[in-house]
Amino acid sequence: MESGAIFAGLHPNLTPIHHHHLLGPSRRTVKLLPPIFTGKRHSCHYPLKLPNQSHCACFSNNNSENANTLQVDSPPSNVVPELADIDWDNLGFGFTSTDYMYIMKCSQGENFSKGELQRFGNIELSPSAGILNYGQGLFEGLKAYRKYDGNILLFRPEENALRLRIGAERMCMPSLTVEQFVVAVKETVLANERWIPPPGKGSLYIRPLLMGSGAVLGLAPAPEYTFLIYVSPVGNYFKEGLAPIHLIVETEMHRATPGGTGGVKTIGNYAAVLKAQSAAKAKGFSDVLYLDSVHKRYLEEVSSCNVFVVKGNVISTPSLKGTILPGITRKSVIDVAVSQGYLVEERFITVDELLDADEVFCTGTAVVISPVGSITYLGKRVTYGSKGVGLVSQQLYSALTSLQMGLTEDKMNWIVELK
């Protein structure tokens, strides 16, 4: 997906906390408060570099100490928190409640300024909240990985921050700065460090949400907004793991239309695909591949993933034209593929080209790279390869995941180390 909306029901975490120390990115003591079409060809890459950012999070002012405030001391740098009691060898892609979430609020016309870590639990919303009545909300998805040396890694969090800002402008919402977003992600990950799977067992999925939380009856932007981050340890998104998935091309329903919101990560985009996806899964398919809504012959994306088509040494992916989400994994795969000598094209791709491809794969935060074993279109089934995972899919998956997990040198300058 860039990750579909798969986490449901934020229930309080009643599990006692086993670690005794919490430490912010600056390794200072942290106080935790209780809850209240133009085609493109690529032949070189330009890694995004941001100016140096502060590693200090912003917290709400609390001048009076009280019995409900949890004061946490910074441990020595060599102390490793006890891991949560989870069967790490059988970790699926589902929601597990953790210890802390991050909350930040602001009013319409103002800027986000201060946030706080709170114990994970349910949140309170007015029945007239903008998010509930008019779907004024966005989400993001990214991951944290644990290295064998104890370091914790984030993959390109500033890209998620930039995409959230673009989406917020489209949905008439205020947004955090890139620095505020990255700091909030760091604080949340470190607060839930014991939930990060051991190396090779999975990752900590990070779900930032931006929503119109203020009450509004008439159709208008909400008067108040909430930014929230929660996390969950996850394994593979598709039960097949790195094994071929099987897609059906949807010819009647569409994910997005020109001029709509298909190019931003707004919450309503994902509910709209559930009917076609459920029908496809009932027939034994893994997911649905959507076509453009105008000509009904050009590829767009899978329910929550971008799609790539391989023919010879050329890798093609549908161009971004406002109806396709600009996936961060998609962007990263393009750069990695170019660095490995492939010619990558962003352009319109027809169904006929898809059916004639040597190899097809999907990309997203949750799936990383998922090879496609077969495509079914108008009752015709086309298979790809006879040896399971395609060579290009395997090569790009290995290169990207090795980078994300810190197993290879980060020549792209994409990794953010927390410890």
Side-chain angles (χ1 to χ4, degrees):
M1 331 185 205
E2 235 12 61
S3 237
I6 43 78
F7 296 149
L10 302 184
H11 301 295
N13 176 37
L14 303 179
T15 305
I17 300 170
H18 299 298
H19 62 286
H20 305 292
H21 305 286
L22 179 64
L23 146 98
S26 59
R27 306 201 72 80
R28 74 190 191 291
T29 297
V30 172
K31 180 182 294 182
L32 298 179
L33 305 180
I36 19 196
F37 165 75
T38 303
K40 295 183 183 178
R41 286 196 172 195
H42 299 264
S43 59
C44 61
H45 56 261
Y46 301 93
L48 174 65
K49 295 184 179 180
L50 294 177
N52 291 333
Q53 300 174 347
S54 166
H55 296 288
C56 297
C58 300
F59 293 88
S60 293
N61 290 329
N62 185 14
N63 297 324
S64 60
E65 299 292 338
N66 58 66
N68 293 325
T69 298
L70 177 63
Q71 185 74 33
V72 187
D73 297 324
S74 298
S77 60
N78 61 348
V79 172
V80 178
E82 178 184 352
L83 291 180
D85 186 14
I86 288 180
D87 182 2
W88 299 108
D89 292 321
N90 293 291
L91 189 61
F93 200 95
F95 174 69
T96 300
S97 62
T98 54
D99 295 327
Y100 297 103
M101 60 186 182
Y102 187 95
I103 300 280
M104 184 184 289
K105 294 178 180 289
C106 85
S107 297
Q108 177 72 297
E110 298 180 358
N111 297 318
F112 284 98
S113 59
K114 295 177 181 179
E116 63 188 30
L117 285 166
Q118 295 182 2
R119 295 299 180 98
F120 180 84
N122 291 345
I123 61 175
E124 183 176 297
L125 284 174
S126 166
S128 192
I131 180 66
L132 298 180
N133 289 262
Y134 300 116
Q136 193 184 21
L138 298 160
F139 73 93
E140 280 296 327
L142 61 160
K143 291 178 178 178
Y145 296 87
R146 188 188 299 276
K147 288 181 64 178
Y148 286 98
D149 63 5
N151 279 351
I152 298 168
L153 308 180
L154 299 175
F155 183 72
R156 309 190 77 175
E158 72 285 346
E159 290 287 344
N160 295 91
L162 291 168
R163 187 170 64 182
L164 185 75
R165 289 179 61 82
I166 293 171
E169 192 277 332
R170 176 64 177 84
M171 302 299 290
C172 296
M173 298 192 289
S175 184
L176 292 76
T177 66
V178 172
E179 182 176 353
Q180 284 176 319
F181 179 96
V182 173
V183 166
V185 168
K186 290 177 179 179
E187 293 287 355
T188 310
V189 169
L190 289 175
N192 294 286
E193 183 177 351
R194 73 190 188 98
W195 297 93
I196 305 175
K201 301 294 184 181
S203 60
L204 187 71
Y205 191 90
I206 306 161
R207 171 55 58 83
L209 294 165
L210 178 61
M211 55 187 155
S213 52
V216 57
L217 186 59
L219 179 57
E224 181 191 73
Y225 296 86
T226 297
F227 175 71
L228 183 152
I229 303 176
Y230 68 93
V231 298
S232 177
V234 297
N236 291 323
Y237 180 70
F238 287 117
K239 63 181 181 180
E240 296 93 338
L242 186 63
I245 61 171
H246 303 280
L247 304 178
I248 183 170
V249 178
E250 175 59 45
T251 58
E252 297 299 324
M253 288 181 275
H254 299 279
R255 177 189 169 275
T257 58
T261 59
V264 297
K265 206 167 177 64
T266 185
I267 289 169
N269 287 350
Y270 294 85
V273 306
L274 296 178
K275 184 174 183 178
Q277 186 188 62
S278 298
K281 289 187 175 183
K283 296 176 182 178
F285 296 102
S286 307
D287 216 324
V288 175
L289 175 60
Y290 290 91
L291 302 178
D292 76 288
S293 62
V294 177
H295 305 285
K296 299 186 178 183
R297 65 188 299 259
Y298 297 109
L299 309 187
E300 292 228 319
E301 60 179 285
V302 181
S303 299
S304 54
C305 310
N306 295 117
V307 64
F308 286 76
V309 173
V310 181
K311 189 69 174 178
N313 194 52
V314 179
I315 302 175
S316 302
T317 191
S319 55
L320 302 177
K321 54 186 185 297
T323 57
I324 296 172
L325 186 73
I328 294 162
T329 308
R330 171 190 182 275
K331 183 176 183 178
S332 304
V333 163
I334 289 173
D335 284 350
V336 170
V338 169
S339 73
Q340 296 190 351
Y342 292 100
L343 175 63
V344 180
E345 298 178 339
E346 294 182 77
R347 60 179 179 83
F348 290 96
I349 303 171
T350 65
V351 177
D352 291 338
E353 291 180 88
L354 170 74
L355 302 179
D356 188 48
D358 297 333
E359 194 175 332
V360 179
F361 62 88
C362 302
T363 66
T365 298
V367 303
V368 187
I369 291 177
S370 189
V372 175
S374 72
I375 296 282
T376 298
Y377 175 62
L378 298 178
K380 177 183 178 181
R381 184 172 184 264
V382 175
T383 60
Y384 302 94
S386 58
K387 298 181 180 179
V389 181
L391 178 62
V392 177
S393 300
Q394 179 67 69
Q395 184 178 353
L396 295 176
Y397 177 86
S398 298
L400 191 57
T401 55
S402 294
L403 182 60
Q404 291 175 329
M405 293 185 286
L407 301 177
T408 57
E409 182 183 356
D410 176 23
K411 296 180 180 179
M412 302 288 195
N413 210 23
W414 288 343
I415 301 298
V416 175
E417 290 198 18
L418 302 192
K419 293 180 66 179

